[in-house]
């Protein structure tokens, strides 16, 4: 039996098996139950499929545990997982066995109601139950929260190698908006290999593999579908064509290769012929300094501004908001700084009298719900830092570690564990150095200790610190000298709190602006400043022009073509009332900010409820919907705007019920035999927040139950979802029944296995590629009634 998967991977091209569901359907037709139940009820069928893939040449056999987590399998989860791993082991004793972990089927916060902790507990239980496997495969993930929960659960409950695989659309994003860049940056530190599976055929996944191979130091896995199915469930890419693409994948840098939906032992047999005895492809990874949220990657290949406003130090309004538990103020600051041009946001909750761990973690969640900018987690408390890092969906910056032994031993392991970049302060037990040489000495100590933890120089941002020139005037020059020299010696980035230089002086902004310009020319990469002050952003823009980083002065010209440069702060802090600063309800909803207070203010001022709905809420949702369709906004932003609108609708409904009646009733269901309902849940959330009354029948719903619900509620629209190819026939049956018993009801369908052509073939009225399409079709149906 092969024992050391990591060693084997380092020396070989690894072949995984192919689709389990496709083979199961061939053997038994419609499973009629959760496929993982076959582990105990028809073990002979499961074993035969595993043996077929082993005989075809697969190095790794994936246990039939994809949907056996507690969210889907309930109390039988552990039993089914243990049985699934045991069957794979017995069927292929000389191969590696992978514990296959798929999505929970629930939508995680902030878009859904599943917390990170709940997701973690589900996956941790699965990992413990599957402890006899050789490797853990986390696959078909589309949500960053769920992916990170699964990876951390695997790391913290097992010493087995871990593989992370997400499912991408042709735009190289998952349906929740996670980009290939953000996936690579976030998952690489937590996994032994990363990659892509499902959703698309081999031709469409090749660009994703190429991108991941460049962005990740980890080996890349690819498991494509055999194309897309036709109306009879037959897939379009045969074994020979699939093998031809396998050659391209291996050439593009893939080190692990297998198949997903529609693939068979014959597909794997031809892949194995290519891979056997083939040395692993050389790495195409190019190290780059970068951080990210779930949907936005920021590469530190030029000046990147860190917004400083979410910090109570010296900011009375922020201090008061945090003490009062008001996270909306911080959220508004986040939106303002994003709009002002910040690239990263610093988040700090260091304030006496509050639970910093709890408040910082909630700040991270709240800020992440209204902006896609990466975050810098700013705390001197390691426990608070780790709590916030667990809550953060991306690659963060930790601010900060110093040269003190206590700090080095506490912070660097956190940066290594979570894959975060880290700010290194040139200060130690002796205090802030007075000389350039002392600053460099501490910086190099931090760099060396970080390297011992596996943290590369590209993930280290050195802060050479500046003291106020009002007290120690010569220190500004020492800081600039240190920035120049550390950049000359090492491939690190530099960061600096610019405004510290002017503390205690009058007209501080004059000093700050001049010092910022000098620091940029000295090599400062990451100024921490207030982006709402025009002179700060003007200095950065001018520097980029003068150093030829802004090619053709294009960005500068676009930004300042119609501007008369001045030095008046755009926003000096958010006032208490959104209306008082000209931020209307439409803007609040588009930004995903709280809308109840402004809605009540409008109603108190005499605004008609329907005028608010039709003149502000619906246009705001239309705007964010247009941005979503154009790829300028993603699912988290769409759902945040929908939640904001829902909050406003609720106020209107409470104040004037008659004016806020439902726009129509829609019945939703995942069809019989299918237990995947995350897409349906997203559709339901968005439709409700657009004003429709949704009757959600859940998952695995028989056709007759769907028809009965449509009749009972008088629904004119029904939405059906299916993810598994084996359950699509039940979708067709449900549509046929609805046509016979509910002829006035229109039907929209969605799911990863469907195409527009397929939807037409099975009799659907509408094919929904995403939640916004549901809204568009609902509006079309109810507009004509």
């Amino acid at each position: 039996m092969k024992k050391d998967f990591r060693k084997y991977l380092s020396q070989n091209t690894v072949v995984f098996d192919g689709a389990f569901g496709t083979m199961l359907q061939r053997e038994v037709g419609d499973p009629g139950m959760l496929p993982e139940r076959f582990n105990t009820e028809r073990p002979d069928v499961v074993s035969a499929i595993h043996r077929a893939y082993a005989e075809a040449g697969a190095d790794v056999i994936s246990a039939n545990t994809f949907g056996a987590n507690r969210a889907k399998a309930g109390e039988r989860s552990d039993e089914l997982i243990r049985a699934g791993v045991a069957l794979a082991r017995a069927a292929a004793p000389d191969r590696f066995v992978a514990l296959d972990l798929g999505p929970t089927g629930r939508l995680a916060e902030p878009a859904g109601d599943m917390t990170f902790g709940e997701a973690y507990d589900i996956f941790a239980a699965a990992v413990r139950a599957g402890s006899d496997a050789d490797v853990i495969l986390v696959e078909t993930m589309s949500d960053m929260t769920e992916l990170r929960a699964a990876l951390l659960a695997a790391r913290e409950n097992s010493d087995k190698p871990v593989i992370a695989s997400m499912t991408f659309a042709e735009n190289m994003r998952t349906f929740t908006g996670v980009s290939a860049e953000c996936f690579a940056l976030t998952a690489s530190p937590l996994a032994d290999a990363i990659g892509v599976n499902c959703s698309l055929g081999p031709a469409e996944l090749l660009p994703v593999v190429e991108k991941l191979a460049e962005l990740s130091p980890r080996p890349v896995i690819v498991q494509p579908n055999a194309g897309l199915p036709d109306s009879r469930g037959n897939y379009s890419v045969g074994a020979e064509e699939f093998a031809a693409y396998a050659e391209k994948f291996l050439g593009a840098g893939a080190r692990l290769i297998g198949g997903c939906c529609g693939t068979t032992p014959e597909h794997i047999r031809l892949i194995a012929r290519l891979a056997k005895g083939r040395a692993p492809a050389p790495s195409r990874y190019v190290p780059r300094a970068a951080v990210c949220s779930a949907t936005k990657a920021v590469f530190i290949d030029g000046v990147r501004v860190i917004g400083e406003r979410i910090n109570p130090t010296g900011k009375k309004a922020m201090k008061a908001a945090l003490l009062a538990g008001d996270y909306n103020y911080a959220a508004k600051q986040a939106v303002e700084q994003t709009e002002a041009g910040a690239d990263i946001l610093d988040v700090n909750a260091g304030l006496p009298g509050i639970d910093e761990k709890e408040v910082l973690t909630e700040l991270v969640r709240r800020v992440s719900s209204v902006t896609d900018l990466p975050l810098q987690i700013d705390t001197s408390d390691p426990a608070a830092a780790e709590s916030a890092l667990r809550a953060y969906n991306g690659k963060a910056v930790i601010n900060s570690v110093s040269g003190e032994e206590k700090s080095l031993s506490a912070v660097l392991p956190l940066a290594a564990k979570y894959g975060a970049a880290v700010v290194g302060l040139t200060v130690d037990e002796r205090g802030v150095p007075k000389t350039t040489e002392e600053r460099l000495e501490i910086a190099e100590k931090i760099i060396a200790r970080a390297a011992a933890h596996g943290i590369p120089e590209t993930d280290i941002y050195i802060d050479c610190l500046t003291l106020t020139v009002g007290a120690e005037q010569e220190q500004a020059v020492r800081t600039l000298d240190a920035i120049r020299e550390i950049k000359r010696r090492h491939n690190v980035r530099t960061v600096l709190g610019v405004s510290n230089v002017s503390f205690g002086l009058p007209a501080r902004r004059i000093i700050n602006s001049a010092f910022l310009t000098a620091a940029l020319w000295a090599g400062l990469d990451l100024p921490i400043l207030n982006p709402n002050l025009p002179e700060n952003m003007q200095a950065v823009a001018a520097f980029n022009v003068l150093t030829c980083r802004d090619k053709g002065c294009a960005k500068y010209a676009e930004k300042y073509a119609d501007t008369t440069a001045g030095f008046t702060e755009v926003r000096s802090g958010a006032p208490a009332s959104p209306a008082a600063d000209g931020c209307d309800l439409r803007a609040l909803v588009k930004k995903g900010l709280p809308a109840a207070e402004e809605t009540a203010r409008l109603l108190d001022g005499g605004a008609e409820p329907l005028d608010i709905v039709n003149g502000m809420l619906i246009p705001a949702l239309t705007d964010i919907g247009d941005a979503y369709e154009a790829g300028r906004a993603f699912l988290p932003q769409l759902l945040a705007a929908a939640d904001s609108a829902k909050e406003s609708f609720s106020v209107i409904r409470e104040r004037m019920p008659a004016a806020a009646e439902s726009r129509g009733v829609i019945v939703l269901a995942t069809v019989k035999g299918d237990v995947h309902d995350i897409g349906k849940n997203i559709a339901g959330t968005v439709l409700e927040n657009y004003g429709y009354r949704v009757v959600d029948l859940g998952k695995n719903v028989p056709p007759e139950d769907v028809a009965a619900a449509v009749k009972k509620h008088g629904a004119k629209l029904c939405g059906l979802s299916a993810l598994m190819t084996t359950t699509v026939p039940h979708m067709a049956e449900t549509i046929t029944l609805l046509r016979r018993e509910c002829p006035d009801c229109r039907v929209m369908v969605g799911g990863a296995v469907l195409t527009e052509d397929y939807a037409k073939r099975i009799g659907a009225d509408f094919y929904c590629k995403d939640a916004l399409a549901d809204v568009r079709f609902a509006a079309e149906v109810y507009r004509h009634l």
Side-chain angles (χ1 to χ4, degrees), residues 104-107 111-113 142 175-176 635 639 666-672 674-689 694-701 706 718-723 731 748-752 754 768-772 774-775:
T104 63
R106 295 177 59 189
L107 188 60
D113 62 356
S142 57
F175 81 83
T176 63
L635 186 64
L639 292 178
I666 302 172
V667 171
L668 297 182
T670 298
V671 299
K672 180 182 176 182
D674 206 315
V675 294
H676 302 85
D677 63 352
I678 189 169
K680 171 188 65 63
N681 293 343
I682 291 171
T685 297
V686 175
L687 287 165
E688 281 185 340
N689 295 346
V694 173
V695 178
D696 188 343
L697 302 181
K699 54 195 175 186
N700 190 23
V701 183
V706 177
C718 176
L720 302 175
S721 175
L723 182 67
M731 181 178 279
M748 57 185 181
V749 298
L754 298 177
C768 302
K769 64 178 182 178
D770 53 44
L772 199 62
D774 298 320
V775 174

Coordinates of all heavy atoms in Angstrom, one line a residue, residues 104-107 111-113 142 175-176 635 639 666-672 674-689 694-701 706 718-723 731 748-752 754 768-772 774-775:
T104 N -21.7 21.8 2.2 CA -22.7 21.4 3.1 C -24.1 21.6 2.5 O -25.1 21.0 3.0 CB -22.7 22.3 4.4 OG1 -22.9 23.7 4.0 CG2 -21.3 22.2 5.1
G105 N -24.2 22.4 1.4 CA -25.5 22.7 0.9 C -26.2 23.9 1.5 O -27.2 24.4 1.0
R106 N -25.5 24.5 2.5 CA -26.0 25.7 3.1 C -25.2 26.9 2.7 O -24.0 26.7 2.3 CB -26.0 25.5 4.7 CG -27.0 24.5 5.2 CD -26.8 24.4 6.7 NE -27.1 25.6 7.4 CZ -26.9 25.8 8.7 NH1 -26.4 24.9 9.4 NH2 -27.2 27.0 9.2
L107 N -25.7 28.1 2.8 CA -25.0 29.3 2.4 C -24.5 29.9 3.7 O -25.2 30.2 4.6 CB -26.0 30.2 1.7 CG -25.3 31.5 1.1 CD1 -24.3 31.1 0.0 CD2 -26.4 32.3 0.4
A111 N -23.8 36.1 3.4 CA -24.9 35.9 2.4 C -26.0 35.0 3.0 O -27.2 35.1 2.6 CB -24.3 35.3 1.1
G112 N -25.6 34.0 3.8 CA -26.6 33.1 4.3 C -26.6 33.1 5.8 O -26.1 34.0 6.5
D113 N -27.1 32.0 6.4 CA -27.3 31.9 7.9 C -26.3 31.0 8.6 O -26.3 30.8 9.8 CB -28.7 31.6 8.3 CG -29.1 30.2 7.8 OD1 -28.3 29.5 7.1 OD2 -30.2 29.8 8.1
S142 N -17.6 26.6 -3.7 CA -17.9 27.9 -4.4 C -17.8 29.1 -3.5 O -17.8 30.2 -3.9 CB -19.2 27.8 -5.1 OG -20.3 27.6 -4.2
F175 N -19.6 31.0 -8.3 CA -20.9 31.8 -8.4 C -21.0 32.8 -7.2 O -21.9 33.7 -7.3 CB -22.1 30.8 -8.5 CG -22.6 30.3 -7.2 CD1 -23.4 31.0 -6.4 CD2 -22.2 29.0 -6.8 CE1 -23.9 30.4 -5.2 CE2 -22.7 28.4 -5.7 CZ -23.5 29.1 -4.8
T176 N -20.2 32.7 -6.2 CA -20.3 33.7 -5.1 C -19.3 34.8 -5.4 O -19.1 35.7 -4.6 CB -20.0 33.1 -3.7 OG1 -18.6 32.5 -3.7 CG2 -21.0 32.0 -3.4
L635 N -21.8 38.3 -5.9 CA -22.9 37.8 -5.1 C -23.0 38.4 -3.7 O -24.1 38.8 -3.2 CB -22.9 36.3 -5.0 CG -24.1 35.7 -4.2 CD1 -25.4 35.9 -5.0 CD2 -23.9 34.2 -4.1
L639 N -26.3 40.4 -2.4 CA -27.1 40.0 -1.3 C -27.1 41.1 -0.2 O -28.1 41.2 0.5 CB -26.6 38.7 -0.7 CG -26.8 37.5 -1.6 CD1 -26.2 36.2 -1.0 CD2 -28.3 37.2 -1.9
I666 N -44.0 33.0 -5.3 CA -43.1 32.1 -6.0 C -42.8 30.8 -5.2 O -42.4 30.9 -4.1 CB -41.8 32.8 -6.4 CG1 -42.1 34.0 -7.2 CG2 -40.9 31.8 -7.2 CD1 -40.9 34.9 -7.5
V667 N -43.1 29.7 -5.8 CA -42.7 28.4 -5.1 C -41.4 27.9 -5.6 O -41.1 27.9 -6.8 CB -43.8 27.3 -5.5 CG1 -43.3 25.9 -5.0 CG2 -45.1 27.7 -4.8
L668 N -40.5 27.6 -4.7 CA -39.1 27.1 -5.0 C -38.9 25.7 -4.5 O -39.4 25.4 -3.4 CB -38.1 28.0 -4.4 CG -38.0 29.5 -5.0 CD1 -36.8 30.2 -4.3 CD2 -37.9 29.5 -6.5
A669 N -38.2 24.9 -5.2 CA -37.9 23.5 -4.7 C -36.7 23.0 -5.4 O -36.4 23.3 -6.6 CB -39.1 22.6 -4.9
T670 N -35.9 22.2 -4.7 CA -34.9 21.3 -5.3 C -35.5 20.0 -5.6 O -36.2 19.4 -4.7 CB -33.7 21.1 -4.3 OG1 -33.0 22.4 -4.1 CG2 -32.6 20.2 -4.9
V671 N -35.4 19.5 -6.8 CA -36.2 18.4 -7.2 C -35.9 17.1 -6.5 O -34.9 16.9 -5.8 CB -36.1 18.2 -8.7 CG1 -36.5 19.4 -9.5 CG2 -34.6 17.8 -9.1
K672 N -36.8 16.1 -6.7 CA -36.7 14.8 -6.0 C -35.3 14.2 -6.2 O -34.8 14.2 -7.4 CB -37.8 13.9 -6.5 CG -37.8 12.5 -5.9 CD -38.9 11.6 -6.5 CE -38.8 10.2 -6.0 NZ -39.8 9.3 -6.6
D674 N -32.5 15.1 -5.2 CA -31.3 16.1 -5.1 C -31.3 16.8 -3.7 O -32.3 17.3 -3.3 CB -31.4 17.1 -6.2 CG -30.0 17.6 -6.6 OD1 -29.3 17.9 -5.7 OD2 -29.8 17.7 -7.8
V675 N -30.1 16.7 -3.1 CA -30.0 17.3 -1.7 C -29.2 18.6 -1.7 O -28.8 19.1 -0.7 CB -29.4 16.3 -0.7 CG1 -30.4 15.1 -0.5 CG2 -28.1 15.8 -1.2
H676 N -28.9 19.1 -2.9 CA -28.1 20.3 -3.0 C -29.0 21.5 -3.2 O -29.7 21.6 -4.2 CB -27.1 20.2 -4.2 CG -26.2 19.1 -4.2 ND1 -26.6 17.8 -4.6 CD2 -24.9 19.0 -3.7 CE1 -25.5 17.0 -4.4 NE2 -24.6 17.7 -3.9
D677 N -29.0 22.4 -2.2 CA -30.0 23.5 -2.3 C -29.4 24.9 -2.1 O -30.1 25.8 -1.9 CB -31.2 23.3 -1.3 CG -30.7 23.3 0.1 OD1 -29.5 23.3 0.4 OD2 -31.6 23.2 1.0
I678 N -28.1 25.0 -2.2 CA -27.5 26.3 -1.9 C -27.9 27.3 -3.0 O -28.2 28.5 -2.7 CB -26.0 26.2 -1.9 CG1 -25.4 27.5 -1.4 CG2 -25.3 25.8 -3.2 CD1 -23.9 27.4 -1.0
G679 N -28.0 26.9 -4.3 CA -28.4 27.8 -5.3 C -29.9 28.2 -5.1 O -30.2 29.4 -5.3
K680 N -30.7 27.3 -4.7 CA -32.1 27.6 -4.5 C -32.2 28.6 -3.3 O -33.1 29.5 -3.4 CB -32.9 26.3 -4.2 CG -34.3 26.6 -3.7 CD -35.0 25.3 -3.2 CE -34.3 24.7 -2.0 NZ -34.4 25.6 -0.8
N681 N -31.4 28.4 -2.3 CA -31.5 29.3 -1.1 C -31.1 30.7 -1.5 O -31.7 31.7 -1.0 CB -30.6 28.7 0.0 CG -31.1 27.4 0.6 OD1 -32.3 27.0 0.4 ND2 -30.2 26.7 1.2
I682 N -30.1 30.8 -2.3 CA -29.7 32.2 -2.7 C -30.8 32.8 -3.5 O -31.1 34.0 -3.3 CB -28.4 32.1 -3.6 CG1 -27.2 31.7 -2.7 CG2 -28.1 33.4 -4.3 CD1 -26.0 31.4 -3.5
A683 N -31.4 32.1 -4.4 CA -32.5 32.6 -5.2 C -33.6 33.1 -4.3 O -34.2 34.1 -4.5 CB -33.0 31.6 -6.2
G684 N -34.0 32.3 -3.3 CA -35.0 32.6 -2.4 C -34.8 33.9 -1.7 O -35.6 34.8 -1.5
T685 N -33.5 34.0 -1.2 CA -33.1 35.2 -0.4 C -33.3 36.5 -1.3 O -33.9 37.5 -0.9 CB -31.7 35.1 0.0 OG1 -31.6 34.0 1.0 CG2 -31.3 36.4 0.8
V686 N -32.8 36.4 -2.5 CA -32.8 37.6 -3.4 C -34.3 37.9 -3.8 O -34.7 39.1 -3.8 CB -32.0 37.3 -4.7 CG1 -32.1 38.5 -5.7 CG2 -30.5 37.2 -4.3
L687 N -35.0 36.9 -4.1 CA -36.4 37.1 -4.5 C -37.3 37.7 -3.4 O -38.1 38.7 -3.6 CB -37.1 35.8 -5.0 CG -36.6 35.3 -6.4 CD1 -37.0 33.8 -6.6 CD2 -37.2 36.2 -7.5
E688 N -37.1 37.2 -2.2 CA -37.8 37.8 -1.0 C -37.4 39.3 -0.9 O -38.3 40.1 -0.6 CB -37.4 37.1 0.2 CG -38.2 35.7 0.4 CD -37.9 35.1 1.7 OE1 -36.8 35.4 2.3 OE2 -38.7 34.2 2.2
N689 N -36.1 39.6 -1.0 CA -35.7 41.0 -0.8 C -36.1 41.9 -1.9 O -36.0 43.1 -1.8 CB -34.2 41.0 -0.5 CG -33.8 40.3 0.7 OD1 -34.7 40.0 1.6 ND2 -32.6 40.0 0.9
V694 N -41.9 34.1 -1.1 CA -41.3 32.9 -1.5 C -41.8 31.7 -0.6 O -41.7 31.8 0.6 CB -39.8 32.9 -1.4 CG1 -39.2 31.6 -1.7 CG2 -39.2 33.9 -2.5
V695 N -42.3 30.7 -1.2 CA -42.7 29.4 -0.6 C -41.6 28.4 -0.9 O -41.5 27.9 -2.0 CB -44.1 28.9 -1.0 CG1 -44.4 27.6 -0.3 CG2 -45.1 30.0 -0.8
D696 N -40.7 28.2 0.1 CA -39.6 27.3 -0.1 C -39.9 25.9 0.4 O -40.0 25.7 1.6 CB -38.3 27.9 0.6 CG -37.1 27.2 0.3 OD1 -37.1 26.0 -0.2 OD2 -36.0 27.7 0.6
L697 N -40.0 25.0 -0.5 CA -40.3 23.6 -0.2 C -39.1 22.8 0.2 O -39.3 21.6 0.6 CB -41.0 22.9 -1.4 CG -42.3 23.6 -1.9 CD1 -42.9 22.8 -3.0 CD2 -43.3 23.8 -0.8
G698 N -37.9 23.3 0.1 CA -36.7 22.6 0.5 C -36.1 21.8 -0.6 O -36.3 22.1 -1.8
K699 N -35.5 20.7 -0.2 CA -34.8 19.8 -1.2 C -35.4 18.4 -1.2 O -36.2 18.1 -0.3 CB -33.3 19.7 -0.8 CG -33.1 19.3 0.7 CD -31.6 19.6 1.1 CE -31.4 19.2 2.5 NZ -30.1 19.6 3.0
N700 N -35.1 17.7 -2.3 CA -35.6 16.3 -2.4 C -37.1 16.3 -2.4 O -37.8 15.6 -1.7 CB -35.0 15.4 -1.3 CG -35.3 13.9 -1.6 OD1 -35.6 13.5 -2.8 ND2 -35.4 13.1 -0.6
V701 N -37.7 17.2 -3.2 CA -39.2 17.4 -3.2 C -39.8 16.7 -4.4 O -39.5 16.9 -5.5 CB -39.5 18.9 -3.3 CG1 -41.0 19.1 -3.2 CG2 -38.8 19.7 -2.2
V706 N -44.7 19.6 -5.3 CA -44.5 20.9 -5.9 C -45.8 21.4 -6.5 O -46.2 22.5 -6.3 CB -43.4 20.8 -7.0 CG1 -43.3 22.2 -7.7 CG2 -42.1 20.4 -6.4
C718 N -42.9 29.1 -10.6 CA -42.3 28.0 -9.8 C -40.8 27.9 -10.3 O -40.6 27.9 -11.5 CB -43.0 26.7 -10.0 SG -42.2 25.3 -9.1
G719 N -39.9 27.8 -9.3 CA -38.5 27.7 -9.6 C -38.0 26.3 -9.1 O -38.2 25.9 -8.0
L720 N -37.4 25.6 -10.0 CA -36.8 24.3 -9.7 C -35.3 24.2 -9.9 O -34.8 24.8 -10.8 CB -37.5 23.2 -10.7 CG -39.0 23.1 -10.7 CD1 -39.4 22.1 -11.8 CD2 -39.5 22.7 -9.3
S721 N -34.7 23.5 -9.0 CA -33.2 23.5 -9.0 C -32.7 22.0 -8.9 O -33.4 21.2 -8.3 CB -32.6 24.2 -7.7 OG -31.2 24.1 -7.7
A722 N -31.6 21.8 -9.7 CA -31.0 20.4 -9.6 C -29.5 20.6 -9.9 O -29.1 21.4 -10.7 CB -31.6 19.5 -10.7
L723 N -28.7 19.9 -9.1 CA -27.2 20.0 -9.3 C -26.7 18.6 -9.9 O -25.7 18.6 -10.6 CB -26.5 20.3 -8.0 CG -25.0 20.4 -8.1 CD1 -24.6 21.6 -8.9 CD2 -24.4 20.5 -6.7
M731 N -36.7 16.6 -12.6 CA -37.1 18.0 -13.0 C -38.1 18.0 -14.1 O -39.1 18.7 -14.1 CB -35.8 18.8 -13.3 CG -36.1 20.3 -13.6 SD -34.6 21.2 -14.0 CE -34.1 21.6 -12.3
M748 N -39.3 28.3 -14.0 CA -37.9 28.6 -14.2 C -37.0 27.6 -13.6 O -37.4 27.0 -12.5 CB -37.6 30.0 -13.7 CG -37.9 30.2 -12.3 SD -37.5 32.0 -11.8 CE -37.9 32.0 -10.1
V749 N -35.9 27.2 -14.2 CA -35.0 26.2 -13.7 C -33.6 26.7 -13.7 O -33.2 27.6 -14.4 CB -35.1 24.9 -14.6 CG1 -36.5 24.3 -14.6 CG2 -34.7 25.2 -16.0
G750 N -32.8 26.1 -12.8 CA -31.4 26.4 -12.6 C -30.6 25.3 -12.0 O -31.2 24.4 -11.4
G751 N -29.3 25.4 -12.1 CA -28.4 24.4 -11.5 C -27.2 24.1 -12.4 O -27.3 24.4 -13.6
A752 N -26.2 23.7 -11.8 CA -24.9 23.6 -12.5 C -24.9 22.6 -13.7 O -24.2 22.8 -14.7 CB -23.8 23.1 -11.6
L754 N -27.4 22.3 -15.8 CA -28.3 22.7 -16.8 C -27.7 23.7 -17.8 O -26.8 24.4 -17.5 CB -29.5 23.3 -16.2 CG -30.4 22.5 -15.3 CD1 -31.5 23.3 -14.6 CD2 -31.0 21.3 -16.0
C768 N -32.3 29.9 -15.7 CA -31.7 30.9 -14.8 C -30.3 30.6 -14.5 O -30.0 29.6 -13.8 CB -32.5 31.0 -13.4 SG -34.2 31.3 -13.7
K769 N -29.4 31.4 -15.1 CA -28.0 31.1 -14.8 C -27.5 31.6 -13.5 O -26.5 31.2 -13.0 CB -27.1 31.7 -15.9 CG -27.2 33.2 -16.0 CD -26.2 33.8 -17.1 CE -26.3 35.3 -17.1 NZ -25.4 35.9 -18.1
D770 N -28.3 32.6 -12.9 CA -27.9 33.1 -11.6 C -29.2 33.7 -10.9 O -30.3 33.7 -11.5 CB -26.9 34.2 -11.7 CG -27.2 35.3 -12.7 OD1 -28.4 35.7 -12.7 OD2 -26.4 35.7 -13.4
A771 N -29.1 34.2 -9.7 CA -30.2 34.6 -8.9 C -30.8 35.9 -9.5 O -32.0 36.1 -9.4 CB -29.8 34.9 -7.5
L772 N -30.0 36.7 -10.2 CA -30.6 37.9 -10.8 C -31.5 37.5 -12.0 O -32.5 38.2 -12.2 CB -29.5 38.8 -11.3 CG -29.9 40.2 -11.5 CD1 -30.4 40.9 -10.2 CD2 -28.7 41.0 -12.1
D774 N -33.5 35.0 -11.9 CA -34.8 34.7 -11.3 C -35.6 35.9 -11.1 O -36.8 35.9 -11.4 CB -34.5 34.1 -9.9 CG -33.8 32.8 -10.0 OD1 -34.1 32.0 -10.9 OD2 -32.9 32.5 -9.1
V775 N -35.0 37.0 -10.7 CA -35.7 38.3 -10.4 C -36.2 38.8 -11.7 O -37.4 39.3 -11.8 CB -34.7 39.3 -9.8 CG1 -35.4 40.6 -9.7 CG2 -34.3 38.8 -8.4

